[in-house]
Amino acid sequence: MIFLFMSVFAHFFQSGWTGANERTFVAVKPDGVQWRLVGEIVRRFERKGFKLVGLKLVQASEDLLREHYWDLRNRPFFSSLIRYMSSGPVVAMVWQGLDVVKTARKMLGETDPSDSLPGTVWGDFCLEVGKNVIHGSDSVESAQKEISLWFGQKELQSWESSSRRWVY
């Protein structure tokens, strides 16, 4: 019975993340925090019309980072990635809006900064792949996983923007 309830709840919870309610996870990495880029990144997302529903400054534990980057665990750079991400504070954010996952990835640019256009975060602020200032979910499914790793349900805010009717 509990399993059935949890399955229905999970389906309802995930299906609510569509349209203008879609959410994505974005994290300013330690080098982005050190470069004082947090305000610039928040500004870009706000100007795009997305709604901030979660924000916190955290020193990520190695356990959290290993879980977050689990799919990269067999890559040769995995250990250095964990060291880099645990080297300083991270600003974790959840943004909400229409097609926010896809749009956020376009706002970030190409993973390799040399392939990123000016005007994108990676094009404007990154020099190498290994220290690339920011992370953004690459799919709705990974966004859901990452948000649940970094935020408890009570840490996410549900609020109505007075400008919503002007954006959508």
Side-chain angles (χ1 to χ4, degrees):
M1 183 69 167
I2 292 174
F3 176 74
L4 178 61
F5 172 76
M6 293 302 288
S7 295
V8 171
F9 177 75
H11 175 70
F12 173 76
F13 184 67
Q14 291 172 357
S15 66
W17 287 15
T18 59
N21 293 322
E22 184 176 290
R23 290 179 174 181
T24 195
F25 176 75
V26 173
V28 180
K29 296 178 178 181
D31 55 328
V33 173
Q34 292 293 327
W35 284 22
R36 293 172 171 77
L37 296 176
V38 175
E40 171 66 21
I41 290 165
V42 168
R43 183 186 65 82
R44 288 178 182 214
F45 278 83
E46 285 184 328
R47 284 202 172 157
K48 188 67 179 171
F50 294 129
K51 181 169 69 170
L52 184 63
V53 296
L55 174 81
K56 62 183 173 179
L57 178 70
V58 297
Q59 180 69 46
S61 71
E62 286 192 20
D63 288 341
L64 172 64
L65 294 169
R66 288 181 195 287
E67 181 69 24
H68 179 89
Y69 290 111
W70 182 251
D71 57 325
L72 302 175
R73 69 190 176 281
N74 295 322
R75 304 293 290 270
F77 59 83
F78 182 72
S79 293
S80 62
L81 174 62
I82 301 302
R83 274 194 308 278
Y84 156 62
M85 287 297 294
S86 61
S87 67
V90 172
V91 175
M93 296 178 274
V94 179
W95 290 93
Q96 182 175 317
L98 184 63
D99 294 323
V100 69
V101 174
K102 179 179 170 183
T103 305
R105 291 297 292 195
K106 287 183 179 181
M107 291 169 65
L108 298 185
E110 299 297 320
T111 306
D112 183 343
S114 64
D115 294 332
S116 288
L117 296 173
T120 64
V121 174
W122 286 325
D124 290 349
F125 302 115
C126 300
L127 298 174
E128 64 175 89
V129 175
K131 291 197 174 139
N132 61 359
V133 175
I134 195 167
H135 165 84
S137 301
D138 61 4
S139 69
V140 172
E141 294 77 23
S142 65
Q144 291 170 348
K145 176 187 165 238
E146 292 168 356
I147 291 168
S148 68
L149 275 173
W150 289 80
F151 287 87
Q153 187 59 36
K154 291 182 179 182
E155 293 177 294
L156 300 175
Q157 304 302 311
S158 224
W159 60 281
E160 195 62 40
S161 170
S162 60
S163 64
R164 180 180 169 99
R165 69 185 187 101
W166 301 104
V167 176
Y168 299 108

